[in-house]
Amino acid sequence: MLDTEPDLSERLFSDIDFSDGAVAAVSGGSDSTALLILLKTHLDRVAPATRLLAVTIDHDLRQGSAAEAREVARLCAERGIAHRSLVWSGKKPSSGLPAAAREARYRLLAEAAQADGIGLILTGHTADDQAETVLMRQAREQGGREEARREREIGDEGGRGVAGMAPATLYDWQHWIVRPLLGTRRAALREVLRRQSIAWAEDPTNLDRHFERPRVRATLAGDDGARRFAQAMASAGQAAASREELGRRAALLIRDLASMPAQGLVRLDPAFAALGDIESAVYALRILLATIGGVSFLPDAARSQALFERLRAGSLCATLSRTVLDARRSGIFLRRESRGLPELAPAASEGLWDGRRRITLADRESRLLIGPLGTAAAAKRTVAEDGTPPSLARAALAAEPALWREAECYSFPGEAGVPPQVGIAPVVAPFARFLPSFDLAPAAAVARLIGAPPLPALPFHGHSAG
């Protein structure tokens, strides 16, 4: 027997902290519409003063999408829910359209949340979506398909096992995206809507087998669907637990064996290469390589494993993920390679500089330029006499961002004289865009290491992102 609506809403939302309000992503389909109705029921009962904003993203990819957004607006008006429609405008890519649409959707949802001062976004992903995601990732990992590589390149949370979608994902290091329906079947949600005589839209692309997800969805609806669904959900749970445990072990290694003797330079204790827990060491190394190199996806696991084996054999100097790994008796040093650094350009509060630094400007009229410090300027910097090879410290400094006025270096982060209207903060590159809650431990460890802003607290009662 299906849960009643109050019981279901209590089970779904009772652990979530809504003190800062919530944005509900509502497309007009059954899953997101049920999310909105159940969420409104819950908040009316336990926290009626909570700010609730429904946001519909019109991807502008097919006829009828604007009408569906208007239907959501009508439903929200009937229920006394604030609503906003946002359109994904501009040219659409000729390939990788689902991934690009997903990226645009999260960006627009985050912008809506930011505009209203809300840090929490809820989406209607269900247990059915979770099973489909796991089956797709299993197929990609088994087949080594190009789609898996492309997902990693756009910063998706895939590509690190078949754990499926995380119950919460931190977007842009600011907004928590929570998926409260991951344990709920679509059939139960549709029954909730039928009981209240609430209609929903059917997206025709969900039946278009040119796309991967509809093909997988069709297999789950077949004669063997129940068994495949159960296996996928069990695999997701096991993979999530394994991934969290691996992340915790990697975080301990980073905490105990990694330091930052100079800006842009990470030192690993020589004992790192002799660790018996090779799996955790390789995972920690992959995260550090991507972070120092400013790369949004972890380096290939096989190449990283081979690099670690070479590291165990003795002294080594190699490059992977734009990061130079230089192993000496005094330590294992990681720094950004000198190739491919950004050109000198006007400082702007948009995106990330070299994938490694988030720039913020209070003065939009600033004429400051930003670019690498460079070898000549780095040679004039004093480096600490702490056993770190001075040549490595200066090579790392040369790749760090500096502020310039014309041809003169105006200031360097970490030194006196940086103008207060300019902020240059390190980021944990592989998790800067999407940080699944599976990976909180290693992300927090690296953030502490490099001086990145701390993680915002998880939006669940009694939990902390640290």
Side-chain angles (χ1 to χ4, degrees), residues 157 166-171 175-179 433-437:
E157 61 183 78
T169 296
L170 185 62
Y171 177 80
H175 302 282
W176 281 109
I177 300 169
V178 175
R179 305 178 178 98
R433 196 67 163 166
F434 292 97
L435 170 57
S437 53

Side-chain angles (χ1 to χ4, degrees), residues 21 147 207 377:
E147 288 91 335
L207 302 175

Side-chain angles (χ1 to χ4, degrees), residues 108-414:
L108 291 170
L109 287 169
E111 289 175 0
Q114 184 77 22
D116 276 44
I118 296 174
L120 179 63
I121 299 168
L122 277 71
T123 67
H125 295 102
T126 66
D128 301 76
D129 295 315
Q130 181 75 302
E132 293 159 10
T133 299
V134 169
L135 291 174
M136 288 190 297
R137 290 182 182 173
Q138 285 177 337
R140 292 169 191 169
E141 293 201 352
Q142 292 168 2
R145 288 163 51 183
E146 180 69 11
E147 288 91 335
R149 182 190 66 80
R150 188 179 300 119
E151 273 198 350
R152 292 193 292 272
E153 288 183 348
I154 64 165
D156 186 54
E157 61 183 78
R160 287 189 287 278
V162 291
M165 291 178 282
T169 296
L170 185 62
Y171 177 80
D172 233 14
W173 214 259
Q174 297 181 73
H175 302 282
W176 281 109
I177 300 169
V178 175
R179 305 178 178 98
L181 307 184
L182 282 183
T184 306
R185 295 300 302 266
R186 181 170 292 121
L189 297 171
R190 290 187 170 185
E191 182 61 23
V192 168
L193 297 180
R194 290 190 187 99
R195 287 174 180 169
Q196 299 192 39
S197 300
I198 298 174
W200 64 83
E202 292 284 3
D203 185 347
T205 59
N206 288 333
L207 302 175
D208 187 348
R209 296 200 182 189
H210 289 94
F211 297 109
E212 182 181 21
R213 188 173 290 274
R215 294 196 299 270
V216 173
R217 185 168 296 168
T219 67
L220 288 174
D223 295 338
D224 198 31
R227 182 187 65 83
R228 296 195 71 194
F229 173 85
Q231 287 181 340
M233 295 300 285
S235 295
Q238 294 168 1
S242 297
R243 182 160 150 186
E244 288 185 2
E245 174 57 26
L246 178 62
R248 282 192 289 270
R249 301 199 319 261
L252 289 175
L253 296 182
I254 293 168
R255 184 198 68 182
D256 294 340
L257 299 177
S259 60
M260 204 163 192
Q263 286 203 61
L265 185 67
V266 165
R267 177 188 177 273
L268 294 170
D269 190 278
F272 183 85
L275 290 169
D277 187 357
I278 295 177
E279 183 184 28
S280 298
V282 171
Y283 188 46
L285 182 62
R286 294 173 69 197
I287 295 171
L288 290 172
L289 287 168
T291 298
I292 299 302
V295 177
S296 62
F297 54 96
L298 300 187
D300 178 74
R303 293 182 66 188
S304 301
Q305 177 87 27
L307 181 63
F308 184 74
E309 293 299 335
R310 291 174 60 196
L311 185 61
R312 291 167 72 88
S315 298
L316 170 68
C317 189
T319 301
L320 183 60
S321 289
R322 307 199 312 183
T323 297
V324 177
L325 184 151
D326 195 328
R328 306 184 179 194
R329 287 184 179 180
S330 55
I332 302 162
F333 297 92
L334 306 176
R335 62 176 175 84
R336 170 70 162 93
E337 69 172 329
S338 58
R339 294 185 304 171
L341 290 167
E343 299 288 338
L344 194 65
S349 288
E350 297 177 6
L352 301 176
W353 184 86
D354 196 39
R356 298 182 289 140
R357 300 290 186 272
R358 192 179 302 279
I359 312 299
T360 54
L361 289 177
D363 179 9
R364 298 286 179 154
E365 302 300 320
S366 173
R367 296 184 180 181
L368 292 174
L369 304 175
I370 187 169
L373 179 64
T375 303
K380 300 176 183 177
R381 257 53 183 186
T382 301
V383 296
E385 297 181 3
D386 58 359
T388 302
S391 60
L392 292 184
R394 290 193 172 96
L397 290 176
E400 289 294 282
L403 297 173
W404 299 77
R405 277 184 174 160
E406 297 179 352
E408 294 294 326
C409 183
Y410 175 65
S411 63
F412 183 68

